[in-house]
Amino acid sequence: MMDISPTPSPAASTSSLTPLERTGLDRTNWFTTQGMGYSSLQSTKPQTLAYSLASSPCGLLAWIYEKLHDWTDAYPWTDDEILTW
């Protein structure tokens, strides 16, 4: 199996990266290790997630909240903003 991960191998030097590039690399590493769980679920058992989102308003709200929180770089969402987004 071919490794297509966007992160450099441990042997690759990161000393020449700018602070912005290091921040981007850290975010990519975070996503690779902690943000891809749903990808595995959706690629193997898509109906499992579909049933829970379709049958549970609370499940759907939790899904939306998590995505808004994770994808907006720590924007301080209020409860009203989440509910009316």
Side-chain angles (χ1 to χ4, degrees):
M1 176 182 254
M2 189 166 96
D3 180 14
I4 58 170
S5 62
T7 56
S9 67
S13 173
T14 58
S15 62
S16 63
L17 297 178
T18 67
L20 183 61
E21 291 170 329
R22 285 178 197 257
T23 300
L25 185 59
D26 289 344
R27 178 69 172 164
T28 299
N29 287 334
W30 172 87
F31 183 79
T32 302
T33 59
Q34 298 180 33
M36 294 185 63
Y38 291 118
S39 177
S40 297
L41 179 62
Q42 289 172 329
S43 67
T44 59
K45 307 275 187 200
Q47 283 303 113
T48 301
L49 184 59
Y51 289 139
S52 64
L53 294 178
S55 66
S56 171
C58 290
L60 181 58
L61 178 60
W63 172 271
I64 291 170
Y65 177 81
E66 179 190 30
K67 298 305 158 202
L68 288 175
H69 177 269
D70 287 351
W71 293 349
T72 54
D73 296 326
Y75 175 82
W77 291 97
T78 67
D79 291 344
D80 286 339
E81 286 176 312
I82 295 292
L83 292 172
T84 58
W85 182 83

